[in-house]
Amino acid sequence: PRNWDDTLARLLENLSGFVGADGAALVLRPAPDAPFAPRQTWQWGDSPWDKVLLHLEEAHAARREEGEAEVFQLKPGDDAKRSVTALPLEHMGMGFGYLLLLGLDAGATDGDLHAFLKAVQVILAEELAAAQMLDRMRELSIFNARVLETVQSGIWVVDEQARTIYCNRIAREMLSGLPHE
C-alpha cells in the first residue's frame, strides 16, 4: 500500500487541478466491515472526517433510494464553507469507497466534466476491484502454501515436461532422504 502513496497523491493533485477543485481525497474501507477512512488526501486540510463521512454515507444512501448513485454534491455540516463532490467507487455491486473533490462548483459537474468524472469514477472503481482481488489471491496463495507445507503427506507436482512445480516439506525429505530444517 505504501507504494501507492505518491501515485495517489499525484493523481489527486492532477485531478483537482484539471477539474478546478480546491482539494481531493480518496476514502476507502480498510476492511469489509470497517468504517470508511481517508486513504490519501491532497490539500484537504484538517477536515473533521467524522462529519464528512457521516454526511457522505447518508447522502449516498438517499441518492441510492432515488436511483441516482452517480456523482453527487454534499455540504457536510452547517458550518461547512465548501461543498464536497462525491464519486462513489462501486464495481459489480460492491462499494469500495469514494473519490471526494473539495470546493468544486455544483454547476461544474454538468456536461463534459460530468462525463469525465464518470470515466474517472469507473476506472478507479475497476482498479480498486482488481487490487482487492489481487490481495485476496495473495492471501489465498499464502494460506494454500501453509496448508501444503503442514500436511503429513508428500506432495510433488510436476508439469508435462516433468519439471518440478511444487514440492512440500515431506516430499523433499522423501526425495532427498535428508530431514528438512
Side-chain angles (χ1 to χ4, degrees):
R2 284 186 301 261
N3 294 341
W4 281 98
D5 288 347
D6 290 338
T7 302
L8 289 174
R10 280 182 284 160
L11 172 76
L12 296 176
E13 177 183 3
N14 290 328
L15 180 62
S16 295
F18 184 76
V19 299
D22 298 331
L26 180 61
V27 176
L28 303 174
R29 285 190 197 279
D33 294 328
F36 287 108
R39 169 62 179 85
Q40 184 64 266
T41 63
W42 183 78
Q43 286 193 349
W44 195 273
D46 293 329
S47 175
W49 281 105
D50 53 342
K51 267 188 186 178
V52 171
L53 298 177
L54 175 68
H55 289 287
L56 180 66
E57 291 190 73
E58 288 174 357
H60 190 204
R63 298 288 294 200
R64 270 197 200 118
E65 287 177 12
E66 297 168 7
E68 300 176 17
E70 288 189 6
V71 177
F72 62 94
Q73 296 271 331
L74 69 138
K75 198 161 190 173
D78 299 329
D79 59 336
K81 293 175 181 58
R82 295 182 285 182
S83 66
V84 174
T85 301
L87 289 81
L89 302 173
E90 299 173 341
H91 182 72
M92 296 180 71
M94 289 187 63
F96 297 106
Y98 299 90
L99 175 61
L100 305 177
L101 299 167
L102 184 62
L104 190 62
D105 241 353
T109 56
D110 295 335
D112 291 342
L113 184 56
H114 179 78
F116 173 75
L117 291 175
K118 188 70 181 144
V120 168
Q121 180 183 29
V122 169
I123 292 168
L124 195 51
E126 287 177 357
E127 289 301 317
L128 289 169
Q132 191 174 66
M133 183 60 72
L134 184 59
D135 282 347
R136 283 190 197 138
M137 288 172 55
R138 282 186 188 130
E139 289 170 7
L140 186 57
S141 176
I142 291 167
F143 173 77
N144 287 339
R146 285 184 186 144
V147 169
L148 292 174
E149 284 298 315
T150 58
V151 296
Q152 294 302 309
S153 300
I155 301 173
W156 185 17
V157 180
V158 295
D159 66 9
E160 296 83 18
Q161 285 79 37
R163 292 180 295 215
T164 299
I165 294 177
Y166 178 79
C167 190
N168 76 345
R169 179 184 52 82
I170 298 294
R172 288 190 300 270
E173 289 176 4
M174 291 170 62
L175 292 168
S176 69
L178 302 171
H180 182 71
E181 297 176 8

